[in-house]
Structures are given as structure tokens and as C-alpha cells.
Amino acid sequence: MKELSVTCRMNVNGRWSDGCIHDVSDRGLLVSSAMPPAIGTYVDIRRGALVIIGRVVWSGGSRFGVRTQDPVSVAALLNESPPNRGPAKPDRRSHIREDFSRHTVQQADRSRRHSSALQFICLTLIGMGMAGFAAILCYRALTTPFGAVAALLGGPVT
């Protein structure tokens, strides 16, 4: 591992923050940040035009280890200019993500309403069927005794 202290910018789940690379190995970095990402999170680390993609494999305090997808060149890292500390440029694709998220939420709400309506219709039909079945059973149960009473009283038997 090569020990150094190189400032960088990090993108974690669409949020940019400052970081500092302390150690570099063939496929790994030791990075520190005010808010280190959780283990398993993918990070996009940038210094100038150099882009390093990796996954957090351990975390402790403000430092964390990143396993990179490609080998990291210390020379390329040191030759790049430090990150611009000016105002962050807005992500051009953020409106597309927001539209997709909004569409997904609307689709889930629509699906929930449709399933609730279908559930109501099914339960209503089942309830009506059970009520009809209970009415037929009551009719059959009461027809025989009332028929016998009507016969004893001399009325018409149905």
C-alpha cells in the first residue's frame, strides 16, 4: 500500500461529498469522509478526470475501505488536479429520476386502488352468495314444519 493524503469528491447514492484518500493498493483504497457510507454501498470517487468505482468493504469511524472494480494507479491519482470546491453542478439526469420515481409511485397507488376495488367486489359477491345460501337453508328448514301445521289446521299445503 502507498500511504498518501489526496483530496477527492465522492458520489454515494446520488449525493456528493468531500473525501480524502489515505492509502492505495492494487484494487483498493482507504478513504476518510465526514459521513462514511455503509458497508456494501457502491461509491464513485473522483479526482479531476479520474473516476474510481468501488464498493465499501469495511468501515470504522470516519474511515472506510473500498474494493475497486479496476486497478488504481497511484501516479494517475497524484497527477490529477484536486476537485473543484465551487458550487456543485446539478445532475442533468435528476429530473429523469424524479419523473421515474413519481411515475412508479403513481403506478403503485393506482395498483393499490384497483386491488382494493377488486377485493371489495369479491367480498361483496361472496357475502351475497352466502346470504342467498342461508336464505335457501332457512326456507327448506321452515317449509316442512309450517306445512305440517297448515295440514293440521286444514289449510292448503304447499
Side-chain angles (χ1 to χ4, degrees), residues 93-107:
R93 299 166 291 176
S94 64
H95 71 283
I96 295 170
R97 288 187 192 117
E98 289 171 5
D99 290 345
F100 180 75
S101 296
R102 189 176 319 112
H103 174 71
T104 304
V105 168
Q106 289 171 348
Q107 186 177 4

Side-chain angles (χ1 to χ4, degrees), residues 13-156:
N13 297 327
R15 296 182 185 198
W16 288 95
S17 63
D18 291 323
C20 186
I21 301 171
H22 296 286
D23 288 326
V24 177
S25 66
D26 183 39
R27 287 196 185 260
L29 302 171
L30 170 64
V31 185
S32 67
S33 172
M35 294 187 328
I39 295 173
T41 304
Y42 284 90
V43 294
D44 175 358
I45 298 172
R46 297 183 184 212
R47 177 163 169 93
L50 181 66
V51 178
I52 303 169
I53 306 293
R55 187 170 60 92
V56 178
V57 292
W58 65 268
S59 180
S62 65
R63 293 183 175 214
F64 57 96
V66 176
R67 171 90 173 143
T68 61
Q69 70 180 17
D70 298 316
V72 179
S73 167
V74 177
L77 189 65
L78 293 174
N79 288 338
E80 286 296 327
S81 60
N84 182 5
R85 298 260 180 206
K89 295 179 183 177
D91 188 357
R92 297 185 321 255
R93 299 166 291 176
S94 64
H95 71 283
I96 295 170
R97 288 187 192 117
E98 289 171 5
D99 290 345
F100 180 75
S101 296
R102 189 176 319 112
H103 174 71
T104 304
V105 168
Q106 289 171 348
Q107 186 177 4
D109 286 341
R110 190 170 38 253
S111 177
R112 195 173 302 116
R113 284 192 309 270
H114 286 224
S115 64
S116 292
L118 182 61
Q119 181 181 12
F120 175 77
I121 291 168
C122 288
L123 289 176
T124 301
L125 290 175
I126 290 171
M128 290 172 61
M130 290 176 65
F133 184 69
I136 291 170
L137 288 179
C138 288
Y139 177 76
R140 287 185 182 166
L142 295 175
T143 302
T144 305
F146 284 143
V149 170
L152 290 173
L153 295 175

